[in-house]
């Protein structure tokens, strides 16, 4: 019988932590670990096309499954490539464990090939936990502490295992000084604030006549309680970008996502409230909160250190969102019939009218808002959604009203392009019997998505439900940056930095054995979604969209920004600038008509 190695002990510890799969890319620094995975056959290895994408897959696994995502890479360049995905986990508060190979201990410090100081490299991104395993006996303890740190801190943890240590005999831990035996177990503490703090919070909320909720991802298991509190207080509900999937968007008091990319209704609710209840959100768009001092605030968060980070809070409530809201609800007065509730519902109704109007606004050739609008009536109730970064996030936040319970994820706080296809693969592997839909721009697709379509083509035949729909909004432009240049810098579009090469995305999908189509007529968008959702294999919808569709912030901020956009467009001589100016003025007029 082959000798049991430290590499085998790594796999055994992953089994103990119920890890179903490890994402990564092989290399000499983890060859022993690869051998152990092969021998065990219990933990699946998922090969990405690039370590950055493997890290995104681990983040996606954690987001969709609720567990810990695990990624592995070799030393040197492989480890460097992991950083973007690990920062995605850090900034969006997601538990990920990275197992990274390293050169043998005997050569460290010699400037050896691919030698990188991995502890120093990862000291910021893995500030919750990073450790190199220098002896076989330390391996179980270090892995256990990494998983516990990742879960407790909702952050990435890094375990570095030199190649020579991986090949050593697996440890039999003796009961003696200097040897620590640990358990691969962790449970979430379900804390509730003390009674005096609950009473103080209730007093603030009961005193308010215009209450708003800001719901973040910390309310992922508390949407019923949040809705009940809002109903009792007659409150309007807004969400952070990460909180969007955790509310019932069919409710008449749900105003949608806040921030620069958010809805006009959310801007009105947050701008008009006199009391704010923040539930599990750390959203950084502070200029879209009420002005400091304009609203009294209560904040619920499991991380007491996050309370008050974005807005001055009068009463902090450190605790689990669901249990805290349950304890708070009996202390709240019934104010559902206050005039504020009617005003909120009117704003929400106006927003729905405005979003439908914008979806049907003529563009050249397709308005990207139309693409997400058409998906509303077709989104599968058991579907899962991945969204990439760029202008596509705006259309997701403003046009798509998710069926209750549908998970939707993106790189929110890091806002890294290229996350959607790796996320989608992780979502599909986690639950292969559910359809997965992706919305991405052409810039993000060119960055990482095209390569990972190869991964999709390799594995889709094993999926219980083969539906994996990729919608590429192809505007041949880095559109979000173009509009940012106009809005924030007063700069005209810069062709060299903004134009993207065109690419036959649907044709490439077919080349890989997938299916797809190119759409350049707005009247054909709905039929394309129908075909994709009925397909017997992954399907890529490439929609040719108009890059001049404005990314106008919600009013009143949008009205202030529109002037600088028009000034910047005045410096552009192209015909497209005239169309962009016309579309921008149309959007401004539509907003004024609905929210004047």
């Amino acid at each position: 019988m082959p000798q049991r190695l430290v590499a085998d002990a790594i796999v055994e510890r992953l089994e103990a932590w119920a890890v179903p799969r490890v994402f990564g890319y092989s290399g000499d620094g983890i060859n022993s670990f690869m051998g152990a995975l092969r021998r065990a056959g219990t933990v699946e290895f998922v090969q990405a096309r690039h370590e950055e994408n493997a890290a995104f897959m681990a983040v996606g696994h954690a987001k969709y499954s609720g567990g810990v995502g695990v990624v592995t890479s070799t030393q040197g360049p492989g480890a460097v490539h992991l950083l973007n995905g690990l920062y995605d986990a850090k900034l969006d508060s997601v538990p990920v464990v990275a197992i990274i190979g390293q050169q043998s201990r005997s050569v460290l410090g010699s400037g050896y090939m691919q030698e990188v100081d991995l502890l120093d490299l990862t000291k910021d991104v893995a500030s919750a936990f990073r450790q190199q395993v220098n002896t076989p006996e330390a391996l179980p303890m270090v892995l256990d502490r990494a998983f516990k740190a990742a879960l407790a801190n909702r952050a990435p943890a890094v375990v570095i295992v030199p190649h020579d240590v991986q090949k050593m005999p697996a440890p039999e831990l003796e009961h003696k000084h200097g040897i620590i035996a640990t358990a691969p177990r962790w449970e979430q503490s379900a804390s509730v604030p003390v009674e005096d703090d609950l009473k103080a919070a209730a007093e603030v909320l009961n005193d308010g006549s215009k209450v708003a909720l800001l719901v973040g991802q910390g309310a992922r298991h508390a949407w019923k309680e949040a809705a009940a509190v809002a109903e009792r207080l007659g409150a309007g509900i807004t969400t952070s970008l990460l909180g969007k999937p955790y509310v019932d968007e069919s409710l008449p008091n749900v105003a949608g996502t806040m921030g620069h990319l958010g809805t006009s209704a959310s801007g009105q609710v947050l701008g008009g409230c006199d009391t704010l209840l923040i539930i599990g959100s750390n959203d950084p768009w502070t200029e879209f909160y009420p002005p400091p001092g304009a609203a009294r605030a209560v904040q619920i968060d499991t991380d007491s250190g996050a309370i008050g980070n974005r807005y001055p809070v009068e009463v902090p409530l450190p605790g689990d969102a669901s249990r805290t809201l349950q304890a708070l609800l009996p202390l709240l007065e019934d104010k559902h019939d206050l005039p504020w509730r009617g005003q909120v519902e009117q704003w929400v109704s106006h927003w729905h009218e405005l979003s439908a109007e914008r979806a049907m606004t003529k563009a050249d050739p397709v308005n990207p808002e139309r693409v997400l609008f058409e998906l509303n009536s077709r989104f599968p109730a058991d579907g899962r959604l991945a969204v990439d970064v760029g202008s596509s996030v705006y259309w997701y936040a403003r046009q798509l009203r998710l069926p209750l319970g549908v998970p939707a994820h993106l790189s929110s706080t890091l806002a890294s392009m290229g996350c959607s296809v790796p996320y989608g693969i992780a979502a599909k592997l986690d639950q292969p019997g559910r359809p997965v839909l992706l919305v991405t721009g052409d810039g993000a697709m060119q960055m990482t998505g095209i390569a990972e379509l190869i991964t999709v083509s390799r594995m889709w035949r094993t999926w219980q439900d083969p539906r994996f729909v990729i919608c590429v909004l192809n505007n041949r432009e880095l559109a979000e940056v173009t509009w940012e240049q106009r809005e924030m810098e007063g700069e005209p579009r810069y062709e060299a930095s903004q134009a993207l090469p065109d690419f036959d995305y649907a044709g490439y999908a077919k080349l890989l054995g997938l299916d797809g189509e190119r759409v350049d007529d707005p009247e054909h968008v709905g039929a394309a979604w129908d075909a994709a959702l009925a397909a017997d294999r992954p399907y890529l919808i490439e929609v040719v969209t108009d890059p001049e569709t404005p990314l106008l912030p919600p009013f009143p901020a949008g009205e202030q920004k529109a002037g600088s956009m028009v000034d910047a467009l005045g410096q552009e001589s192209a015909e497209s600038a005239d169309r962009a100016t016309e579309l921008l003025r149309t959007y401004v007029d539509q907003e004024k008509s609905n929210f004047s």
Side-chain angles (χ1 to χ4, degrees):
M1 184 176 179
Q3 185 180 34
R4 182 169 158 269
L5 305 178
V6 168
D8 298 299
I10 297 174
V11 178
E12 291 165 7
R13 218 56 174 186
L14 295 180
E15 293 170 355
W17 280 101
V19 173
R21 60 189 58 87
V22 174
F23 303 93
Y25 202 85
S26 60
D28 61 346
I30 51 171
N31 278 345
S32 297
F33 180 37
M34 293 294 103
L37 287 169
R38 177 192 61 78
R39 287 190 295 274
T42 52
V43 178
E44 179 186 11
F45 178 69
V46 180
Q47 183 200 75
R49 310 274 60 78
H50 192 284
E51 290 93 349
E52 177 181 349
N53 296 340
F56 276 136
M57 290 177 190
V59 177
H61 174 86
K63 287 184 173 183
Y64 288 100
S65 73
V68 180
V70 180
V71 65
T72 189
S73 79
T74 190
Q75 71 271 332
V80 173
H81 290 160
L82 292 180
L83 288 179
N84 204 45
L86 294 181
Y87 270 107
D88 185 33
K90 180 183 175 77
L91 271 62
D92 275 358
S93 301
V94 175
V96 168
V97 171
I99 301 172
I100 306 176
Q102 178 59 294
Q103 293 290 7
S104 296
R105 294 169 299 165
S106 59
V107 300
L108 294 180
S110 70
Y112 206 73
M113 181 180 179
Q114 293 190 334
E115 184 189 347
V116 171
D117 185 342
L118 298 181
L119 287 170
D120 196 46
L121 178 75
T122 60
K123 70 179 180 180
D124 178 53
V125 74
S127 56
F129 184 86
R130 73 192 194 287
Q131 189 62 251
Q132 179 169 300
V133 177
N134 289 315
T135 67
E137 291 78 11
L139 186 279
M141 176 270 292
V142 170
L143 272 178
D144 285 349
R145 290 195 65 202
F147 274 87
K148 293 174 184 180
L151 286 162
N153 296 283
R154 297 198 62 83
V158 166
V159 176
I160 302 160
V161 191
H163 194 198
D164 60 325
V165 175
Q166 293 175 44
K167 295 189 290 185
M168 290 179 176
E172 296 294 339
L173 298 183
E174 300 179 63
H175 182 55
K176 66 177 186 179
H177 179 73
I179 302 296
I180 300 175
T182 55
R185 294 293 302 275
W186 182 84
E187 294 293 336
Q188 172 71 57
S189 62
S191 59
V192 179
V194 298
E195 186 176 353
D196 285 348
D197 288 344
L198 288 168
K199 289 180 178 178
E203 182 179 345
V204 170
L205 296 170
N206 288 333
D207 282 349
S209 60
K210 300 177 180 180
V211 181
L213 271 59
L214 173 56
V215 176
Q217 65 168 334
R220 65 176 60 83
H221 302 302
W223 69 267
K224 289 183 179 178
E225 292 84 352
V229 166
E231 186 66 25
R232 178 74 57 85
L233 294 171
I237 300 175
T238 66
T239 77
S240 69
L241 188 58
L242 288 172
K244 178 178 167 68
Y246 305 119
V247 300
D248 184 351
E249 296 193 289
S250 68
L251 294 175
N253 62 329
V254 173
T257 306
M258 63 89 77
H260 188 282
L261 47 67
T263 70
S264 299
S266 75
Q268 297 293 330
V269 170
L270 289 176
C273 71
D274 62 15
T275 309
L276 179 63
L277 174 58
I278 304 170
I279 307 171
S281 175
N282 196 31
D283 196 289
W285 287 109
T286 52
E287 67 268 38
F288 290 90
Y289 288 68
R296 302 175 71 186
V298 174
Q299 184 171 357
I300 301 169
D301 206 294
T302 54
D303 180 5
S304 58
I307 295 177
N309 275 355
R310 305 302 189 192
Y311 192 78
V313 169
E314 187 170 336
V315 182
L317 293 178
D320 172 76
S322 177
R323 291 182 176 231
T324 301
L325 290 170
Q326 288 174 26
L328 186 61
L329 185 60
L331 306 177
L332 301 177
E333 298 172 2
D334 189 345
K335 301 190 292 182
H336 72 276
D337 58 351
L338 287 177
W340 170 250
R341 174 61 184 260
Q343 177 65 79
V344 168
E345 291 188 6
Q346 186 177 50
W347 284 329
V348 172
S349 177
H350 286 330
W351 168 250
H352 291 168
E353 293 169 5
L354 176 58
S355 61
E357 182 180 8
R358 284 182 172 171
M360 298 301 167
T361 299
K362 186 177 179 181
D364 184 18
V366 179
N367 189 318
E369 301 210 41
R370 175 78 177 266
V371 182
L372 277 297
F373 179 82
E374 293 285 355
L375 181 57
N376 273 317
S377 60
R378 297 172 168 86
F379 202 103
D382 62 342
R384 312 182 105 187
L385 179 69
V387 182
D388 222 301
V389 170
S391 57
S392 54
V393 180
Y394 285 73
W395 318 136
Y396 156 67
R398 295 176 177 182
Q399 287 291 350
L400 189 60
R401 293 198 286 279
L402 295 166
L404 186 61
V406 165
H409 294 292
L410 72 161
S411 173
S412 177
T413 315
L414 183 64
S416 178
M417 291 171 62
C419 64
S420 64
V421 181
Y423 271 27
I425 291 170
K428 194 67 173 181
L429 292 175
D430 176 56
Q431 292 196 21
R434 295 175 64 173
V436 171
L437 292 80
L438 283 65
V439 177
T440 179
D442 49 347
M445 197 66 186
Q446 290 184 16
M447 188 173 286
T448 64
I450 291 170
E452 292 306 330
L453 279 185
I454 300 171
T455 306
V456 173
S457 73
R458 179 183 190 179
M459 59 176 56
W460 73 266
R461 290 175 180 82
T462 65
W463 294 340
Q464 180 183 343
D465 183 330
R467 289 177 294 172
F468 189 91
V469 181
I470 308 107
C471 178
V472 180
L473 304 176
N474 179 13
N475 57 20
R476 292 82 59 209
E477 180 88 2
L478 293 173
E480 182 179 16
V481 179
T482 296
W483 282 100
E484 285 173 344
Q485 288 173 338
R486 291 165 176 162
E487 174 191 339
M488 300 176 184
E489 311 298 330
E491 287 283 342
R493 177 181 181 274
Y494 181 34
E495 173 80 12
S497 72
Q498 297 312 106
L500 290 175
D502 205 356
F503 184 82
D504 187 357
Y505 301 94
Y508 182 69
K510 291 181 178 180
L511 182 68
L512 293 173
L514 313 179
D515 205 352
E517 62 180 297
R518 183 181 173 100
V519 179
D520 57 10
D521 183 340
E523 298 304 317
H524 294 166
V525 171
W529 280 119
D530 291 335
L533 290 167
D536 64 353
R537 63 193 61 209
Y539 197 103
L540 191 148
I541 307 170
E542 176 189 346
V543 186
V544 183
T545 58
D546 194 338
E548 306 307 345
T549 307
L551 303 183
L552 186 66
F555 276 31
E559 188 170 16
Q560 298 163 2
K561 299 288 189 180
S564 62
M565 293 180 183
V566 170
D567 291 343
L569 285 163
Q571 302 176 58
E572 301 176 26
S573 57
E575 179 183 340
S576 61
D578 294 334
R579 188 174 73 256
T581 303
E582 181 181 355
L583 270 171
L584 178 59
R585 286 174 173 154
T586 297
Y587 270 44
V588 169
D589 290 343
Q590 290 169 343
E591 185 102 26
K592 287 180 176 179
S593 176
N594 283 275
F595 289 94
S596 58

